[in-house]
Amino acid sequence: MKLIKKYIEKDLSGYVKLQLEEEEDLWHCYNLISVGDQLTSSTVRKIQKETATGSVTSERQKLKITIQVTKIDHDSESSLLRVSGSTCVENKYVKFGSFHTIDLEMNREFQLQKQEWDMISLELVKNATDIGQRADVAALIMNEGLANLCLITSAMTVVKSRVEVPVPRKGRSTSDNHQKGLENFFNTILQSMARNINFDVVKCFIIASPAFVKDKFFQYMMDQSSKNDLYKVFKQNKSKFVLTHSSSGHRYSLKEVLSDQVIVQQLANTKAASEVKILNDFYDMLKKDPNRAFYGYEHVKKANERLAIETLLVTDELFRGKDVKTRKKYVDLVQSVKDNKGDVKLFSGLHVTGEQLSKLSGVAAILRYPLELEDEEEEYHPDESENGDDDNSNNNNNNNNNNNNNDDDYSSGNKNRSTRTSGDNEDSDDNDNNKGNFDDEDYESFSSNR
C-alpha cells in the first residue's frame, strides 16, 4: 500500500490518502476502516439529464463522493472490498444522505478520515505502507489427489488454488492407471503454480505432504522443467524449494509445517516466521510454567496491572468490532503494555497463527515472572471440615443432654402440679362445707358489713 498524504491533528483527528497496490492491501483496509469513518473515493455512477426538448438521457460519469461508513464487506477469494454508507458531502450529481457503495480497487486513491486515530490504526498504516513487510513465502500442502497452493504474507494466508484430481489406488487398479492419474494430478499443480507464483518476490517455496508424495512431485517438476520451457522457472529457482513432512494435504496442516525447525531457519527473515516462533514460545511456556502464560482478557489485564507482561499476543479481530467500548479497552491494554516496556505482537485473523490465537480468546501474554492469581472462590480445607463435623457432633450431644434434663424437669413439674391440684381441690371442698355452715346471725352480720 502506498501512503500519499498523512495529516493528523494534535487531538488525533485527521485523514490519510492511500493507494492500493496488491491484494493484501485490501485486508489492511478492511481492518483500518471502521463504522462512522468518512471515505472519499472516485466512482462511476449513472447520471440522468433532461434535454431542452424534455427527453431524458443517461450516461455513466466518473464522480468523487464522500460517504459515512455503515458497512464493510471483504471477500478474500475474489479480492473484493466494498464499503457502504450515506453521502455526507454535497455533490451536484448525488443527493445528500443518499446511500451508496464504493468498491476499492487496485491503483485507485482514496481518503480515509477519522475523528480519532488510535495507536492501533496508526500502527496498521505504518506496517501496511512499509515495503519491507511484503510477502515472500509460498507453500504447497499436498497428498495424493489433493493439494492446496498458498501464499503466506505477513498478515494472512491466501489459498490461491485448490487442486483435486482423482488418483486410482494401487490395490484397486493396475500400476499404469495409478501412475497416469498421479502424473495428471502433478501436471495440474504445475499449471496452477505457473499462473500464481512470482519467483521474483517469493524467497522460499515449501512443499509438504505425508509419506513420499512430495518427493515424487519434486522429481516430476524437475523433469518437466527440463522438457518444457513453460516450467523452466522452477529449475532456475530450485534452491528456493524446501521439502518437509505434513500430516495431510489440507490447509490446517500449515501450522505444523511452519513450526518445523528447518522451515523456521529458511523463514528467518520473514515476519511470518517471527509470529510462528512467538506463538510456539507461548505454548511451550504454557506447558512448562503455566504461571508465566496467561490468556483471556481478565487474566491478561490483571497481569498487566502488576507490570508482569513481557510479550502481548493479540489478534486484529478484536479491533474490528462495531462496539466502540470493546475496541477501546483492547487499545488501552496495548497502549498500557507498551508504556510498561512490554512487546506487542498483532496477529492477523486470516493467518494460520491468528486462527490458533483466536481459539484462546484472541489475547494472550508471556510474563516476565511467575504470577499466581488469587482464586475468588473459597478454598476447601478437608481438615477444617472434619474438625467442624466433630464440633457439630459435640454440640449435638450437649443439646441431647440438655433435652433429657429438660424432659426430667418437665416430668417432675407435672408431678408437683398434680400434687398442688389435689391440694387445691381439698381446700375447695372445705370452703364449700364451711359455706354451708353459715347460720342466720352470721349472714346478717356479713350483710351489714357489706
Side-chain angles (χ1 to χ4, degrees):
M1 190 185 302
K2 183 178 180 181
L3 178 62
I4 300 173
K5 187 176 181 180
K6 179 180 177 181
Y7 182 77
I8 307 296
E9 296 280 0
K10 291 183 178 180
D11 61 352
L12 297 180
S13 63
Y15 66 89
V16 294
K17 283 186 177 180
L18 302 168
Q19 181 178 347
L20 303 178
E21 294 181 329
E22 55 187 17
E23 293 181 4
E24 185 181 353
D25 295 337
L26 295 173
W27 174 252
H28 291 308
C29 290
Y30 178 58
N31 290 314
L32 186 63
I33 301 173
S34 303
V35 174
D37 295 345
Q38 292 185 5
L39 180 69
T40 303
S41 179
S42 58
T43 183
V44 178
R45 288 292 183 269
K46 196 176 193 180
I47 305 299
Q48 292 183 346
K49 295 182 180 181
E50 185 176 353
T51 62
T53 59
S55 61
V56 177
T57 61
S58 60
E59 61 178 5
R60 298 183 68 84
Q61 188 169 349
K62 189 175 182 180
L63 306 173
K64 181 174 282 190
I65 62 175
T66 301
I67 62 172
Q68 188 166 8
V69 180
T70 58
K71 185 180 179 182
I72 311 126
D73 292 322
H74 176 249
D75 187 357
S76 59
E77 295 183 358
S78 59
S79 299
L80 184 65
L81 179 62
R82 288 184 172 179
V83 184
S84 304
S86 57
T87 56
C88 55
V89 177
E90 292 185 4
N91 190 308
K92 69 176 183 178
Y93 297 110
V94 179
K95 293 182 180 180
F96 181 83
S98 58
F99 191 83
H100 288 270
T101 298
I102 298 177
D103 293 337
L104 296 183
E105 300 177 354
M106 298 297 167
N107 302 317
R108 180 179 293 180
E109 297 181 8
F110 68 93
Q111 176 178 305
L112 180 64
Q113 184 169 352
K114 290 178 175 285
Q115 294 183 352
E116 181 181 358
W117 285 86
D118 55 40
M119 181 194 62
I120 299 297
S121 299
L122 294 174
E123 189 78 15
L124 184 57
V125 172
K126 179 181 176 182
N127 293 334
T129 55
D130 184 5
I131 195 171
Q133 301 289 338
R134 296 292 185 258
D136 52 5
V137 181
L140 179 65
I141 312 298
M142 61 187 305
N143 200 352
E144 286 192 359
L146 173 65
N148 284 278
L149 181 62
C150 306
L151 283 179
I152 305 171
T153 73
S154 60
M156 59 196 296
T157 301
V158 181
V159 179
K160 298 299 295 183
S161 177
R162 179 182 173 90
V163 179
E164 289 186 81
V165 176
V167 178
R169 294 186 179 182
K170 289 183 178 180
R172 298 181 180 179
S173 61
T174 62
S175 59
D176 293 339
N177 291 336
H178 174 76
Q179 187 63 27
K180 289 180 181 179
L182 201 61
E183 290 179 358
N184 184 28
F185 172 56
F186 288 163
N187 188 52
T188 307
I189 296 175
L190 287 181
Q191 294 176 8
S192 179
M193 289 173 56
R195 290 193 304 267
N196 295 291
I197 302 301
N198 181 8
F199 281 96
D200 293 334
V201 178
V202 172
K203 296 179 181 178
C204 179
F205 195 110
I206 304 169
I207 303 178
S209 76
F212 300 102
V213 179
K214 59 184 179 298
D215 302 282
K216 294 179 181 179
F217 170 74
F218 184 76
Q219 186 61 44
Y220 178 83
M221 180 177 62
M222 291 296 105
D223 293 341
Q224 293 298 317
S225 299
S226 302
K227 299 177 182 178
N228 193 338
D229 292 339
L230 182 63
Y231 303 142
K232 66 180 181 179
V233 64
F234 301 137
K235 193 169 185 178
Q236 294 172 355
N237 295 274
K238 182 178 179 180
S239 60
K240 296 182 179 180
F241 288 92
V242 180
L243 276 62
T244 186
H245 174 79
S246 69
S247 59
S248 71
H250 294 279
R251 178 178 176 270
Y252 62 78
S253 298
L254 192 59
K255 178 184 179 297
E256 64 180 89
V257 172
L258 294 177
S259 301
D260 188 88
Q261 291 300 319
V262 177
I263 304 301
V264 170
Q265 293 177 2
Q266 294 288 331
L267 306 180
N269 296 325
T270 65
K271 183 182 176 183
S274 64
E275 292 182 352
V276 171
K277 181 180 181 302
I278 292 171
L279 189 61
N280 288 337
D281 290 343
F282 173 79
Y283 280 121
D284 291 340
M285 188 67 71
L286 192 62
K287 293 177 183 177
K288 297 176 182 178
D289 191 359
N291 290 332
R292 287 189 60 193
F294 282 13
Y295 61 91
Y297 176 76
E298 292 299 331
H299 283 185
V300 172
K301 180 183 176 183
K302 291 180 180 179
N304 181 53
E305 291 173 353
R306 303 185 186 185
L307 309 181
I309 295 181
E310 181 179 9
T311 304
L312 178 68
L313 293 71
V314 59
T315 61
D316 55 9
E317 295 178 347
L318 300 176
F319 305 100
R320 201 168 53 246
K322 296 181 180 180
D323 189 359
V324 179
K325 293 182 178 180
T326 302
R327 176 186 173 91
K328 189 175 186 307
K329 77 175 184 179
Y330 285 106
V331 171
D332 293 341
L333 176 63
V334 171
Q335 184 64 53
S336 178
V337 171
K338 287 190 173 183
D339 292 342
N340 297 330
K341 307 301 180 183
D343 190 16
V344 177
K345 298 296 182 183
L346 188 63
F347 289 72
S348 171
L350 283 185
H351 199 277
V352 61
T353 54
E355 293 175 358
Q356 293 294 320
L357 184 58
S358 297
K359 296 177 181 179
L360 296 176
S361 76
V363 60
I366 301 175
L367 307 188
R368 295 186 175 98
Y369 53 85
L371 185 64
E372 293 185 4
L373 297 180
E374 297 179 358
D375 193 359
E376 296 181 357
E377 298 181 358
E378 295 182 358
E379 297 183 356
Y380 175 73
H381 299 287
D383 296 339
E384 294 181 3
S385 178
E386 292 176 359
N387 294 333
D389 293 340
D390 294 339
D391 294 338
N392 291 333
S393 61
N394 293 332
N395 292 333
N396 291 332
N397 292 331
N398 293 332
N399 291 333
N400 291 333
N401 293 333
N402 292 332
N403 291 334
N404 292 333
N405 294 334
N406 291 334
D407 292 340
D408 295 338
D409 295 339
Y410 179 77
S411 58
S412 62
N414 287 336
K415 292 179 180 180
N416 294 332
R417 279 196 299 273
S418 62
T419 305
R420 287 196 299 270
T421 302
S422 60
D424 292 340
N425 290 334
E426 292 177 356
D427 294 340
S428 176
D429 294 338
D430 293 340
N431 290 332
D432 291 340
N433 293 330
N434 293 331
K435 183 177 179 181
N437 295 328
F438 274 160
D439 51 10
D440 295 337
E441 294 179 357
D442 293 334
Y443 181 76
E444 292 177 357
S445 175
F446 176 76
S447 299
S448 62
N449 290 332
R450 293 181 62 188

